[in-house]
Amino acid sequence: MRHTTRHAVAAVTLLVGLFAACAPEQSPPPAAGEQALVNPATEKRIDALLAQMTLEEKVGQLNQYSSPFDMTGPPPSEGAQKTAYDQIRGGLVGSMLNVTGAEATRKAQQLAVENSRLKIPLIFGYDVIHGYKTIFPLPLAEAASWDPAAVERSARIAAIEAAAAGLHWTFGPMVDVSRDARWGRIMEGSGEDPFLGSQMAAARVRGFQGKSLADVDTIAACAKHYAAYGFAEAGRDYNTVDISESTLRNVVLPPFKAAADAGVATFMNSFNEIGGIPATASVHLQREILKGEWGFTGFVVSDWGSIGEMVPHGYAENLAQGAEQAITAGSDMDMESRAYVQHLTELVTSDKVDIKLVDDAVRRVLRVKFALGLFDDPYRYSDAAREQAVTLTPASLAEARDVARRSIVLLKNDGVLPLDKTVRSIAVIGPLADDKDSPLGNWRGQGAANSAVSLLEGVKAAVSPSTRVLYAEGAKLVTGPRDFSSPSVYNTSDRSGFAAAVAAARAADVVLLAIGEDAYQTGEGRSQADLGLKGLQDELLKAVVAANKRVVVVLMNGRPLAIGHVAEAVPALVEAWLLGSQSGHAIADVLFGDYNPSGKLPVSFPRLVGQEPLYYAHKNTGRPGPDSSVTWSHYTDVPNDALYPFGFGLSYTSLACSEPRLSATEIGRDGQLRVSVTVTNAGARAGAEIVQLYVRDLVGSVTRPVKELKGFQRVELAPGQAQEVTFTITASDLAFYTARGQWEAEPGTFTVFVGGNSRDVKEASFTLR
Ligand code: BGC
């Protein structure tokens, strides 16, 4: 009955600004027009250029090559490299990726600008994902800060360094929502939630692109991977995605939309198919939604070879057909498939592809080049002196340390932490304890190998001169090469370091045990079917705990792990992710209480891998239970819920939220509801709480999740202090993609929840008329 009534009531249609009302503090969006790619003067210049271009030159603008060769060495005399050189000279290449450094980019730009007929500059792209040389925490870790302003600063510094090295464009932010910890690329995104993901996406776009792309210290950003790459079946990279339009619109697309609204200049499509159509050939995603509904005026680059991969997908018969499908669907630039450069000219001359599609794609690419100022001075970014001056500065490293400590999440503390700096002796043990490389993580830009501050170094720098610091590796985690493309081989047999580890644990007052994942255990192609600790780490943990009960586990990892047994074995557990260049200092700041942890999980931590995909915003099902029978929606061997839920994180002080107070119990479509809580610090230390607001729409034309994050605010509280926090909810915050295919809020009853994580909340309810 109630359901029918809801359908009968005229829906409240909402267009944009969906997430505005509860947004946390952040810097203002760029002034209108500053980031606009389209302006009449530029469009005129593009018209003039298009009129001069041959078909081959147009296709060339859509062709992107990776640089496998040494730009600063002598020009190659034969083979593929020579072909690439000749094509650049001939104006048949529009962009290159993986050319880095002021000198190399200048040389490559010279090839294009001094030789090609129309002197159109190249645009240089690179994966600047969490820093260029100053490496920041993994994006997943940064999301744990729930601090968009900090994340924006991180992206800003990355852009300053990358731009001075001649780069114009980063393939970031990666905004894929992912709810499956098995997926290796979960480390590159902001976790499981579309709202938090949207805040992070917008913050990173603002950071990379700054106030204006014309500024010489900003770079074009790229929202990737469009779309639903994070929903690969069983968390296996590149695997099939088959999700509903509702999941696509309500869960997957919001961070992309947020990036578009923040003015992101480019999008990258994705390797996966969705419902049988490869994203690269998806008219629905690229033409209808992105360029149609959202009015996106920048360009779409394919993912690496994704046009060619439509052949093994079983969607294109050959590369030529792939090119036809991709350009038709709105994939503007071909990264490394060589499909456009080989086939697009012929496809146009044989009338299989309308020249208008090619013109539109070229126009979009040229817009971004104009916006970057490359037509005014194609060398303006490649500046060796500036590169030297702005890279790895003390200020950037200090910022990296600050963002890193904001990203740390305290998962368990039975009173061991914080440690006293004057402790007599401390043992730092484990395969990651003095690892100067793993904290840099995967997708580390030009971060130098082994350049991170290790935990051991951080601890040594923090403790008093009288403290004895013992160190033992215990066991290696990985044997063999550790790099982007080599598969990881784990040490499962060499226990020769165990005795020293046990001796160190025995001799110390307290133990820090650094375990988790290697730098390259997450990232592209690094999916896992198991979420336990690899190698001999469980054995090492047992041996160390048997020698000394006062063990603090410092977990370093790029994905949620199933660590219930670890939490049970030790009195304290710190989630320290892979935190970048300043990792060891940031962890020490938290361990010794110089920084009171405030990070919160951006993704649920499972009890067992079999719970994946695991996320707090699940649906209720028809049999939510729990009940005494067996026939309700549950596992018979493990609870349904997370070991550590989304939004969870402890503090050294005692923070509590009151019951929520609502300004009304009913609001109209134009009304506002204020939800207030008092947050109290009952402890003896200053601390920060990230107050989270969730909503449940009890009945929908499409069923709604049991909870959805709609806002969060960080409050800093002195000991004994209490502060009121108020969120404002409008109908636009309650909108979703309904059964009518529109963003709209549906009238009815809502529950509102407030708390310090997604599980421990207090609730109230209201009605939307
Ligand atoms: C990845 C992209 C990346 C591109 C260029 C691809 O394999 O999926 O995320 O930007 O390579 O390095």
Side-chain angles (χ1 to χ4, degrees), residues 97 127 171 185 188 224-225 229 268 271 303-304 335 443 524:
L97 71 154
D127 292 281
F171 304 126
R185 299 194 80 168
E188 277 176 71
K224 73 185 187 186
H225 305 85
Y229 184 38
M268 184 187 292
F271 292 127
D303 201 349
W304 181 291
M335 181 195 285
W443 293 116
E524 187 172 349

Side-chain angles (χ1 to χ4, degrees), residues 568-582:
E568 265 170 37
V570 297
L573 180 56
V574 175
E575 175 53 78
W577 312 106
L578 300 174
L579 292 175
S581 300
Q582 293 288 295

